Amino acid sequence: YIANIPKVRSKGVEADLTAAQERLAAATAEHKSAKADAAAAGKALPAAQDAAATTAEAKSSAQSEFDAAQETLTAAQDRLEKVSAAADTADAAERRAAARVEDTRSGSKARRAAFEAWQMAAVAERAAHARQVLADERAADAFVGLQAAESVLTQADFAAAEATSAQE
């Protein structure tokens, strides 16, 4: 029945039809391109998910290392404070012992006893100072370790952000 209807087209309808056909062709091409993009993204998604999982593990590991380095630095700083206080105490004791030697009469039994006490205090002060130097070096090493762990953590944060971005 429709085949018997004569085809009558006006110029306005003809122009609308041409424009609609052009839009249909453009939409079809765009749809085809979007399907190709979706297929490519679908193929890339598992790799992006694997990368995101790997970077999440690396970030977790880096965070653990950072936390451990921070604990080590805190412990080293605490130890340094204690040995510094002990060194100050030993230094004060050594100065008091030296003053007692100076205050006693030369050649007396009290001076000999004070001299021996001063020598022992001097040895204790040197030992306390040596412990302080070692604690200071350990604290410095712990600080450097913390900085290295922080650098690794920052890199892991960036990698995780990139992996998450790629996954989206």
PDB file of all heavy atoms in Angstrom, residues 147-168:
ATOM      1  N   GLN A 147      63.814  10.388  56.386  1.00  0.00           N
ATOM      2  CA  GLN A 147      63.718  11.165  55.156  1.00  0.00           C
ATOM      3  C   GLN A 147      63.650  10.245  53.935  1.00  0.00           C
ATOM      4  O   GLN A 147      62.883  10.498  53.000  1.00  0.00           O
ATOM      5  CB  GLN A 147      64.908  12.132  55.034  1.00  0.00           C
ATOM      6  CG  GLN A 147      64.940  13.189  56.115  1.00  0.00           C
ATOM      7  CD  GLN A 147      63.696  14.037  56.133  1.00  0.00           C
ATOM      8  OE1 GLN A 147      63.275  14.574  55.130  1.00  0.00           O
ATOM      9  NE2 GLN A 147      63.079  14.139  57.291  1.00  0.00           N
ATOM     10  N   ALA A 148      64.438   9.185  53.942  1.00  0.00           N
ATOM     11  CA  ALA A 148      64.413   8.227  52.830  1.00  0.00           C
ATOM     12  C   ALA A 148      63.060   7.529  52.759  1.00  0.00           C
ATOM     13  O   ALA A 148      62.483   7.369  51.670  1.00  0.00           O
ATOM     14  CB  ALA A 148      65.535   7.200  52.987  1.00  0.00           C
ATOM     15  N   ALA A 149      62.542   7.125  53.907  1.00  0.00           N
ATOM     16  CA  ALA A 149      61.228   6.465  53.930  1.00  0.00           C
ATOM     17  C   ALA A 149      60.128   7.422  53.483  1.00  0.00           C
ATOM     18  O   ALA A 149      59.183   7.021  52.791  1.00  0.00           O
ATOM     19  CB  ALA A 149      60.932   5.932  55.334  1.00  0.00           C
ATOM     20  N   GLU A 150      60.259   8.681  53.854  1.00  0.00           N
ATOM     21  CA  GLU A 150      59.270   9.680  53.441  1.00  0.00           C
ATOM     22  C   GLU A 150      59.314   9.871  51.927  1.00  0.00           C
ATOM     23  O   GLU A 150      58.282  10.017  51.277  1.00  0.00           O
ATOM     24  CB  GLU A 150      59.530  11.005  54.153  1.00  0.00           C
ATOM     25  CG  GLU A 150      58.469  12.048  53.898  1.00  0.00           C
ATOM     26  CD  GLU A 150      58.679  13.292  54.728  1.00  0.00           C
ATOM     27  OE1 GLU A 150      59.839  13.671  54.995  1.00  0.00           O
ATOM     28  OE2 GLU A 150      57.679  13.907  55.101  1.00  0.00           O
ATOM     29  N   SER A 151      60.509   9.845  51.357  1.00  0.00           N
ATOM     30  CA  SER A 151      60.655   9.972  49.902  1.00  0.00           C
ATOM     31  C   SER A 151      59.990   8.797  49.187  1.00  0.00           C
ATOM     32  O   SER A 151      59.261   8.981  48.205  1.00  0.00           O
ATOM     33  CB  SER A 151      62.140  10.040  49.531  1.00  0.00           C
ATOM     34  OG  SER A 151      62.308  10.029  48.136  1.00  0.00           O
ATOM     35  N   VAL A 152      60.224   7.586  49.691  1.00  0.00           N
ATOM     36  CA  VAL A 152      59.609   6.391  49.096  1.00  0.00           C
ATOM     37  C   VAL A 152      58.089   6.467  49.220  1.00  0.00           C
ATOM     38  O   VAL A 152      57.357   6.152  48.277  1.00  0.00           O
ATOM     39  CB  VAL A 152      60.162   5.107  49.758  1.00  0.00           C
ATOM     40  CG1 VAL A 152      59.368   3.881  49.340  1.00  0.00           C
ATOM     41  CG2 VAL A 152      61.634   4.935  49.413  1.00  0.00           C
ATOM     42  N   LEU A 153      57.611   6.926  50.380  1.00  0.00           N
ATOM     43  CA  LEU A 153      56.168   7.046  50.599  1.00  0.00           C
ATOM     44  C   LEU A 153      55.561   8.072  49.643  1.00  0.00           C
ATOM     45  O   LEU A 153      54.490   7.833  49.073  1.00  0.00           O
ATOM     46  CB  LEU A 153      55.875   7.440  52.047  1.00  0.00           C
ATOM     47  CG  LEU A 153      54.403   7.609  52.418  1.00  0.00           C
ATOM     48  CD1 LEU A 153      53.626   6.325  52.169  1.00  0.00           C
ATOM     49  CD2 LEU A 153      54.270   8.048  53.867  1.00  0.00           C
ATOM     50  N   THR A 154      56.236   9.174  49.434  1.00  0.00           N
ATOM     51  CA  THR A 154      55.741  10.202  48.517  1.00  0.00           C
ATOM     52  C   THR A 154      55.670   9.653  47.094  1.00  0.00           C
ATOM     53  O   THR A 154      54.678   9.862  46.385  1.00  0.00           O
ATOM     54  CB  THR A 154      56.650  11.448  48.559  1.00  0.00           C
ATOM     55  OG1 THR A 154      56.648  11.950  49.900  1.00  0.00           O
ATOM     56  CG2 THR A 154      56.170  12.522  47.606  1.00  0.00           C
ATOM     57  N   GLN A 155      56.700   8.928  46.674  1.00  0.00           N
ATOM     58  CA  GLN A 155      56.683   8.324  45.339  1.00  0.00           C
ATOM     59  C   GLN A 155      55.552   7.307  45.216  1.00  0.00           C
ATOM     60  O   GLN A 155      54.884   7.237  44.187  1.00  0.00           O
ATOM     61  CB  GLN A 155      58.028   7.664  45.043  1.00  0.00           C
ATOM     62  CG  GLN A 155      59.147   8.667  44.861  1.00  0.00           C
ATOM     63  CD  GLN A 155      60.509   8.004  44.740  1.00  0.00           C
ATOM     64  OE1 GLN A 155      60.651   6.802  44.927  1.00  0.00           O
ATOM     65  NE2 GLN A 155      61.523   8.801  44.439  1.00  0.00           N
ATOM     66  N   ALA A 156      55.325   6.549  46.274  1.00  0.00           N
ATOM     67  CA  ALA A 156      54.232   5.571  46.257  1.00  0.00           C
ATOM     68  C   ALA A 156      52.878   6.268  46.199  1.00  0.00           C
ATOM     69  O   ALA A 156      51.964   5.798  45.514  1.00  0.00           O
ATOM     70  CB  ALA A 156      54.311   4.670  47.494  1.00  0.00           C
ATOM     71  N   ASP A 157      52.752   7.400  46.886  1.00  0.00           N
ATOM     72  CA  ASP A 157      51.505   8.178  46.826  1.00  0.00           C
ATOM     73  C   ASP A 157      51.246   8.649  45.394  1.00  0.00           C
ATOM     74  O   ASP A 157      50.116   8.561  44.900  1.00  0.00           O
ATOM     75  CB  ASP A 157      51.571   9.391  47.754  1.00  0.00           C
ATOM     76  CG  ASP A 157      51.328   9.037  49.204  1.00  0.00           C
ATOM     77  OD1 ASP A 157      50.730   7.978  49.466  1.00  0.00           O
ATOM     78  OD2 ASP A 157      51.735   9.835  50.072  1.00  0.00           O
ATOM     79  N   PHE A 158      52.278   9.164  44.737  1.00  0.00           N
ATOM     80  CA  PHE A 158      52.119   9.624  43.355  1.00  0.00           C
ATOM     81  C   PHE A 158      51.758   8.464  42.431  1.00  0.00           C
ATOM     82  O   PHE A 158      50.889   8.587  41.567  1.00  0.00           O
ATOM     83  CB  PHE A 158      53.389  10.323  42.850  1.00  0.00           C
ATOM     84  CG  PHE A 158      53.582  11.709  43.387  1.00  0.00           C
ATOM     85  CD1 PHE A 158      54.826  12.114  43.848  1.00  0.00           C
ATOM     86  CD2 PHE A 158      52.537  12.613  43.444  1.00  0.00           C
ATOM     87  CE1 PHE A 158      55.016  13.395  44.348  1.00  0.00           C
ATOM     88  CE2 PHE A 158      52.714  13.899  43.940  1.00  0.00           C
ATOM     89  CZ  PHE A 158      53.962  14.290  44.397  1.00  0.00           C
ATOM     90  N   ALA A 159      52.432   7.340  42.603  1.00  0.00           N
ATOM     91  CA  ALA A 159      52.153   6.171  41.759  1.00  0.00           C
ATOM     92  C   ALA A 159      50.728   5.673  41.984  1.00  0.00           C
ATOM     93  O   ALA A 159      50.031   5.316  41.027  1.00  0.00           O
ATOM     94  CB  ALA A 159      53.153   5.052  42.056  1.00  0.00           C
ATOM     95  N   ALA A 160      50.279   5.676  43.227  1.00  0.00           N
ATOM     96  CA  ALA A 160      48.907   5.239  43.519  1.00  0.00           C
ATOM     97  C   ALA A 160      47.897   6.194  42.900  1.00  0.00           C
ATOM     98  O   ALA A 160      46.872   5.763  42.358  1.00  0.00           O
ATOM     99  CB  ALA A 160      48.696   5.140  45.027  1.00  0.00           C
ATOM    100  N   ALA A 161      48.174   7.482  42.963  1.00  0.00           N
ATOM    101  CA  ALA A 161      47.264   8.467  42.367  1.00  0.00           C
ATOM    102  C   ALA A 161      47.211   8.290  40.843  1.00  0.00           C
ATOM    103  O   ALA A 161      46.129   8.351  40.234  1.00  0.00           O
ATOM    104  CB  ALA A 161      47.723   9.883  42.712  1.00  0.00           C
ATOM    105  N   GLU A 162      48.363   8.030  40.222  1.00  0.00           N
ATOM    106  CA  GLU A 162      48.391   7.818  38.772  1.00  0.00           C
ATOM    107  C   GLU A 162      47.648   6.538  38.407  1.00  0.00           C
ATOM    108  O   GLU A 162      46.907   6.502  37.415  1.00  0.00           O
ATOM    109  CB  GLU A 162      49.828   7.758  38.276  1.00  0.00           C
ATOM    110  CG  GLU A 162      50.526   9.104  38.267  1.00  0.00           C
ATOM    111  CD  GLU A 162      51.978   9.014  37.820  1.00  0.00           C
ATOM    112  OE1 GLU A 162      52.405   7.926  37.355  1.00  0.00           O
ATOM    113  OE2 GLU A 162      52.666  10.021  37.932  1.00  0.00           O
ATOM    114  N   ALA A 163      47.825   5.498  39.188  1.00  0.00           N
ATOM    115  CA  ALA A 163      47.149   4.225  38.908  1.00  0.00           C
ATOM    116  C   ALA A 163      45.648   4.367  39.073  1.00  0.00           C
ATOM    117  O   ALA A 163      44.877   3.838  38.262  1.00  0.00           O
ATOM    118  CB  ALA A 163      47.678   3.120  39.824  1.00  0.00           C
ATOM    119  N   THR A 164      45.222   5.089  40.080  1.00  0.00           N
ATOM    120  CA  THR A 164      43.796   5.316  40.281  1.00  0.00           C
ATOM    121  C   THR A 164      43.224   6.140  39.133  1.00  0.00           C
ATOM    122  O   THR A 164      42.144   5.848  38.623  1.00  0.00           O
ATOM    123  CB  THR A 164      43.560   6.046  41.620  1.00  0.00           C
ATOM    124  OG1 THR A 164      44.065   5.231  42.671  1.00  0.00           O
ATOM    125  CG2 THR A 164      42.081   6.304  41.858  1.00  0.00           C
ATOM    126  N   SER A 165      43.983   7.132  38.701  1.00  0.00           N
ATOM    127  CA  SER A 165      43.550   7.966  37.572  1.00  0.00           C
ATOM    128  C   SER A 165      43.450   7.136  36.295  1.00  0.00           C
ATOM    129  O   SER A 165      42.496   7.280  35.524  1.00  0.00           O
ATOM    130  CB  SER A 165      44.534   9.120  37.384  1.00  0.00           C
ATOM    131  OG  SER A 165      44.181   9.878  36.250  1.00  0.00           O
ATOM    132  N   ALA A 166      44.419   6.262  36.078  1.00  0.00           N
ATOM    133  CA  ALA A 166      44.396   5.415  34.878  1.00  0.00           C
ATOM    134  C   ALA A 166      43.238   4.430  34.923  1.00  0.00           C
ATOM    135  O   ALA A 166      42.642   4.095  33.887  1.00  0.00           O
ATOM    136  CB  ALA A 166      45.706   4.660  34.745  1.00  0.00           C
ATOM    137  N   GLN A 167      42.912   3.985  36.115  1.00  0.00           N
ATOM    138  CA  GLN A 167      41.821   3.015  36.269  1.00  0.00           C
ATOM    139  C   GLN A 167      40.476   3.670  35.982  1.00  0.00           C
ATOM    140  O   GLN A 167      39.579   3.032  35.454  1.00  0.00           O
ATOM    141  CB  GLN A 167      41.839   2.459  37.695  1.00  0.00           C
ATOM    142  CG  GLN A 167      40.902   1.314  37.918  1.00  0.00           C
ATOM    143  CD  GLN A 167      41.039   0.747  39.320  1.00  0.00           C
ATOM    144  OE1 GLN A 167      41.790   1.236  40.130  1.00  0.00           O
ATOM    145  NE2 GLN A 167      40.305  -0.305  39.576  1.00  0.00           N
ATOM    146  N   GLU A 168      40.340   4.926  36.324  1.00  0.00           N
ATOM    147  CA  GLU A 168      39.085   5.635  36.083  1.00  0.00           C
ATOM    148  C   GLU A 168      38.978   5.960  34.628  1.00  0.00           C
ATOM    149  O   GLU A 168      38.083   5.925  33.955  1.00  0.00           O
ATOM    150  CB  GLU A 168      39.039   6.926  36.922  1.00  0.00           C
ATOM    151  CG  GLU A 168      38.969   6.611  38.401  1.00  0.00           C
ATOM    152  CD  GLU A 168      39.109   7.853  39.251  1.00  0.00           C
ATOM    153  OE1 GLU A 168      39.305   8.943  38.720  1.00  0.00           O
ATOM    154  OE2 GLU A 168      39.014   7.728  40.454  1.00  0.00           O
TER     155      GLU A 168
END
